[in-house]
Amino acid sequence: MKRTTGVKIKGIGRCVPELVATNEDYAKIVDTSDEWITQRTGIKTRHISNGEPNFFLGAKAAKEALAEAGISADELGLIICATCTPDYYTPSEACLIQRELGAAGFPCIDINCACSGFVYGVDMARRYLACDDMKYVLVVATEELSKFVDYEDRSTCILFGDAAAAVVLEKQDDTLFSSFTAADGSGAPFLAARALLTINPFRAEEDTYDMRMPEPHRHYLLQEGKEVYKFATNALPLAVSKACEKAEIAPAELDAVIPHQANVRIIETAAKKLGVSMDKMVLNIRDYGNTSSASIPNAFYDGVKSGRIKRGDKVCFVGFGGGLTYGAVVLEY
Ligand code: COA
């Protein structure tokens, strides 16, 4: 096992909306059943925004993480907010969260790497912290997938929920740390949600540019389920293997793997490929569904709070999602 300069997770926080939608609730709006959803995905319930904005969830998670870290928001050097469901194009979620924290005077950045956002965020935080001009970085992942889920499409709407989770990170010398992040833009059409259309008084009436994307005029999340499934079952083990290789540790030596919570079957297939037993996989998809970038820190939060993950454990965060993006971080908690 290689020791290097990495990050210490000083505090964690989480916030989920109180409103809960069960499989039975979905069976009332689309042609589905608890049995189908449970068997194909492992999901039973998701938390859904009852009107709370995305930044509100993120700020609450951030406050808890700061309290656990025992630092004030003024001591932060940077906020990185991972989200693909922001409340505004501008200002960023990170700026809105900074405002809610009552702080100012340091940079705030949003990153959109879909479900890999938390992994990318931790990787970026470590690189910023290495420059020694800031002491603490807050990484918040906050998502409201309910904004662009098509509640008439039974193959997607049953998968997604809303949540936020955050970590306060500090530089740590002589520790376990490695990261691997990657993307393959050729898979962009497999998981896509449209932003605003190009509308202005000067443009031609007909589209002249081929977006090479599905249904470019709808803002709903569109998904090629089978393509994403195939990608995920390869990307998850690949990312863990690459990060472990850099850290000179075998995947089986990890104490816990916290995967993106997309589908239990994806995680089971990937665990088999990796030679890691399912009891090392930290799961809470049953209660929250897929909450994109928030799903990894949300599962980590439950793992820590339940005592399943302890200080000193060798853990791996691994994400995959729209982009297509993927990546993993190995660190000592
Ligand atoms: N309830 C009941 N039936 C459903 C359904 C639902 N919610 N959703 C789809 N079906 C039906 C399909 O219409 C299809 O019916 P047909 O055979 O009559 O055409 C049948 O179930 C099988 O569909 P299929 O797409 O083959 O199911 P699947 O086993 O591949 O499961 C997903 C579908 C979406 C759960 C699965 O492909 C998946 O998890 N993909 C990855 C998605 C993902 O992780 N996205 C986020 C990544 S970050």
Side-chain angles (χ1 to χ4, degrees):
M1 184 179 108
K2 196 167 123 190
R3 298 190 79 82
T4 183
T5 300
V7 294
K8 177 182 166 68
I9 300 176
K10 271 191 80 73
I12 55 173
R14 182 257 301 279
C15 176
V16 294
E18 278 179 22
L19 183 66
V20 169
T22 64
N23 290 347
E24 288 76 14
D25 292 330
Y26 282 77
K28 289 178 199 150
I29 59 169
V30 287
D31 182 13
T32 190
S33 64
D34 174 48
E35 191 192 359
W36 193 95
I37 300 173
T38 307
Q39 282 178 4
R40 301 288 180 118
T41 71
I43 301 167
K44 285 284 191 187
T45 59
R46 323 102 192 103
H47 291 243
I48 308 273
S49 170
N50 198 5
E52 310 94 317
N54 194 34
F55 75 80
F56 172 86
L57 302 180
K60 274 191 93 169
K63 282 178 188 168
E64 184 185 349
L66 287 166
E68 192 182 283
I71 67 159
S72 75
D74 290 330
E75 293 176 82
L76 291 172
L78 169 69
I79 297 175
I80 297 173
C81 180
T83 188
C84 60
T85 53
D87 296 299
Y88 298 90
Y89 282 138
T90 188
S92 67
E93 293 295 281
C95 283
L96 293 169
I97 290 168
Q98 187 199 45
R99 183 188 67 168
E100 295 301 300
L101 298 177
F106 56 82
C108 295
I109 315 170
D110 275 13
I111 56 169
N112 177 351
C113 317
C115 308
S116 309
F118 181 71
V119 167
Y120 269 64
V122 172
D123 172 64
M124 283 172 64
R126 188 252 188 170
R127 293 173 196 274
Y128 270 98
L129 287 165
C131 289
D132 283 327
D133 57 357
M134 53 182 71
K135 191 148 195 277
Y136 304 112
V137 174
L138 174 71
V139 179
V140 191
T142 186
E143 302 280 10
E144 289 184 346
L145 280 297
S146 59
K147 280 179 187 167
F148 58 42
V149 159
D150 179 355
Y151 286 99
E152 291 182 1
D153 174 3
R154 66 177 181 173
S155 65
T156 57
C157 71
I158 50 109
L159 297 172
F160 298 100
D162 303 339
V167 292
V168 173
L169 302 176
E170 181 181 23
K171 182 176 150 183
Q172 169 109 323
D173 290 323
D174 189 31
T175 188
L176 172 69
F177 188 95
S178 74
S179 59
F180 165 80
T181 51
D184 177 3
S186 70
F190 298 147
L191 203 50
R194 188 75 165 85
L196 284 180
L197 295 171
T198 309
I199 296 172
N200 62 60
F202 311 108
R203 57 156 289 173
E205 277 187 15
E206 295 298 313
D207 281 334
T208 51
Y209 189 76
D210 175 11
M211 302 289 277
R212 290 182 293 143
M213 295 294 275
E215 298 199 49
H217 299 292
R218 277 157 53 96
H219 76 276
Y220 291 133
L221 181 68
L222 296 161
Q223 168 177 279
E224 291 277 344
K226 282 196 193 317
E227 290 294 342
V228 176
Y229 194 95
K230 239 189 307 175
F231 156 72
T233 50
N234 289 323
L236 198 166
L238 177 74
V240 175
S241 303
K242 292 272 188 193
C244 282
E245 204 178 295
K246 285 189 184 178
E248 296 174 9
I249 179 176
E253 289 177 79
L254 294 164
D255 296 301
V257 176
I258 302 98
H260 170 46
Q261 315 280 307
N263 185 323
V264 169
R265 290 190 296 139
I266 291 174
I267 296 167
E268 284 169 351
T269 306
K272 221 175 264 171
K273 283 190 183 178
L274 273 171
V276 171
S277 63
M278 271 307 279
D279 60 358
K280 294 258 181 98
M281 296 284 174
V282 177
L283 301 182
N284 68 358
I285 184 173
R286 186 181 186 283
D287 301 331
Y288 299 100
N290 180 344
T291 58
S292 193
S293 70
S295 91
I296 295 171
N298 183 23
F300 178 63
Y301 182 95
D302 274 340
V304 169
K305 297 297 170 186
S306 67
R308 158 83 182 71
I309 300 170
K310 297 180 186 60
R311 282 287 175 195
D313 277 359
K314 298 182 276 298
V315 304
C316 177
F317 301 130
V318 54
F320 53 86
L324 298 168
T325 57
Y326 52 111
V329 164
V330 170
L331 54 78
E332 196 173 284
Y333 174 51

